[in-house]
Amino acid sequence: DRMNVLVYSNPEYSIEDDYYFLKLFKDYDDSKLIINFSYEDPHSLELKKLNKYFDLNNVVGKGSELNKLASLKRWVVENISSKGKNLTNRLYDDLDCIEIINQSKKDGYSLNCRYISYIFMQLLLALGFKARWVMCLPMDLRDDECHCVIEVYSKELEKWIVVDAAFDLFYFNKKGIPMNLMEMRKMLIEENKLKFFSPNKEYSYFIQNYWKKNIFRFKYLINNKYNALASSKIEFACLNPNNFVLKNKEFILNGKTNILN
């Protein structure tokens, strides 16, 4: 049998290529997809300690869910995203939230989206939200740079929404309602710009193109809990668009078993 194989070997990969492949592999068939995510109980000993240490209830204050999420996002930006050298590796996976913050400041590193969103996920869990950590990945398997965000469930909106703590952003649809990742992906494929509050045009241009690259496929942490990356066994759910097939695999990284479902 003959197979139609798409061969692409352009070494000068560009923004236009990102957009081309995003539209080419636009379809996701998630009708049969069931992922059994877990979210740690906010009354667990570790999350209660985390809540008390950062005085999270005082940080978010009173008001709507979105107001609380916005307050926590702003607090994370002001208190965790310290200035320093760019962090390009996974130095702090074995550390807890407090240790990550303190050690990065000691080492002179500015925390990247990996650790900002990872910490943010645990703070949300401590406040009683359902929150899941997700890596947003490019099509190009040679590109090991991705963007990490949180999807949090809003009871008020009755849907999952993205909170991008690293970029200090929510992303809205035409009605001004925050979107989840699939909604963002669809909006970009339909050649609509993402809506968010941007400080300037250059930053807005960067964000739009950054997402065109990094919203091709997704890698979700299944067990969202305190200090999850320090576990000896870490499970991920990989969501790839139709006809973009990557085989299931299990690998060991830094002595930890990573399972991709």
Side-chain angles (χ1 to χ4, degrees):
D1 293 341
R2 296 184 63 184
M3 295 180 61
N4 292 321
V5 179
L6 177 65
V7 178
Y8 188 79
S9 59
N10 181 12
E12 303 296 331
Y13 199 79
S14 67
I15 293 172
E16 288 74 19
D17 295 317
D18 289 325
Y19 202 28
Y20 169 78
F21 283 112
L22 180 60
K23 291 192 288 186
L24 181 65
F25 292 96
K26 64 180 181 178
D27 296 324
Y28 263 88
D29 181 11
D30 57 0
S31 60
K32 298 180 180 179
L33 181 65
I34 298 177
I35 304 173
N36 293 317
F37 289 107
S38 68
Y39 311 97
E40 187 167 351
D41 191 308
H43 297 103
S44 69
L45 181 61
E46 292 83 2
L47 291 184
K48 285 175 67 175
K49 286 181 178 179
L50 199 62
N51 192 325
K52 183 177 181 181
Y53 182 88
F54 290 114
D55 194 14
L56 294 179
N57 292 316
N58 187 51
V59 167
V60 300
K62 297 180 179 180
S64 68
E65 280 183 339
L66 290 182
N67 284 338
K68 290 180 179 180
L69 290 172
S71 296
L72 185 63
K73 175 172 62 66
R74 172 46 43 184
W75 181 87
V76 165
V77 170
E78 293 176 349
N79 292 274
I80 293 179
S81 306
S82 59
K83 294 182 180 179
K85 300 176 292 185
N86 289 332
L87 180 62
T88 58
N89 50 28
R90 303 176 179 183
L91 283 179
Y92 306 128
D93 282 13
D94 289 329
L95 305 183
D96 64 32
C97 290
I98 299 169
E99 291 171 336
I100 291 173
I101 296 168
N102 293 338
Q103 190 62 47
S104 64
K105 290 180 180 179
K106 182 180 178 181
D107 295 340
Y109 283 113
S110 174
L111 289 178
N112 54 21
C113 63
R114 177 182 180 83
Y115 290 113
I116 292 173
S117 58
Y118 176 58
I119 292 171
F120 190 62
M121 176 267 288
Q122 295 173 75
L123 299 181
L124 287 170
L125 291 174
L127 285 166
F129 287 95
K130 285 185 178 180
R132 54 200 190 197
W133 188 60
V134 53
M135 301 179 196
C136 305
L137 303 161
M139 186 281 294
D140 190 353
L141 301 181
R142 301 166 299 180
D143 187 351
D144 59 1
E145 190 271 344
C146 65
H147 188 51
C148 298
V149 297
I150 294 302
E151 279 193 323
V152 58
Y153 188 77
S154 168
K155 294 180 181 178
E156 292 176 356
L157 297 175
E158 297 183 332
K159 60 175 293 191
W160 291 91
I161 63 173
V162 170
V163 187
D164 191 342
F167 286 159
D168 192 16
L169 293 173
F170 291 99
Y171 302 97
F172 303 94
N173 64 17
K174 294 180 180 179
K175 296 181 179 180
I177 300 173
M179 295 186 293
N180 56 44
L181 285 169
M182 285 298 183
E183 290 170 331
M184 290 170 60
R185 193 178 191 277
K186 182 179 179 182
M187 177 172 278
L188 286 172
I189 289 170
E190 293 176 349
E191 300 188 16
N192 295 310
K193 290 185 177 180
L194 298 176
K195 296 182 179 298
F196 51 86
F197 296 111
S198 171
N200 57 60
K201 290 184 178 180
E202 288 186 3
Y203 185 71
S204 178
Y205 180 79
F206 163 76
I207 295 294
Q208 298 287 350
N209 289 320
Y210 192 76
W211 273 113
K212 286 176 185 177
K213 179 177 86 72
N214 289 318
I215 204 164
F216 185 83
R217 53 198 176 94
F218 307 105
K219 182 177 172 183
Y220 281 87
L221 180 66
I222 292 179
N223 301 308
N224 296 272
K225 61 182 181 178
Y226 176 81
N227 219 9
L229 294 181
S231 301
S232 59
K233 184 178 179 180
I234 309 170
E235 291 187 84
F236 294 96
C238 294
L239 276 62
N240 299 313
N242 291 356
N243 301 319
F244 186 83
V245 180
L246 294 176
K247 291 184 178 180
N248 294 351
K249 61 181 179 179
E250 177 176 322
F251 65 93
I252 297 176
L253 179 64
N254 297 328
K256 302 170 189 173
T257 300
N258 288 251
I259 300 174
L260 305 180
N261 294 310

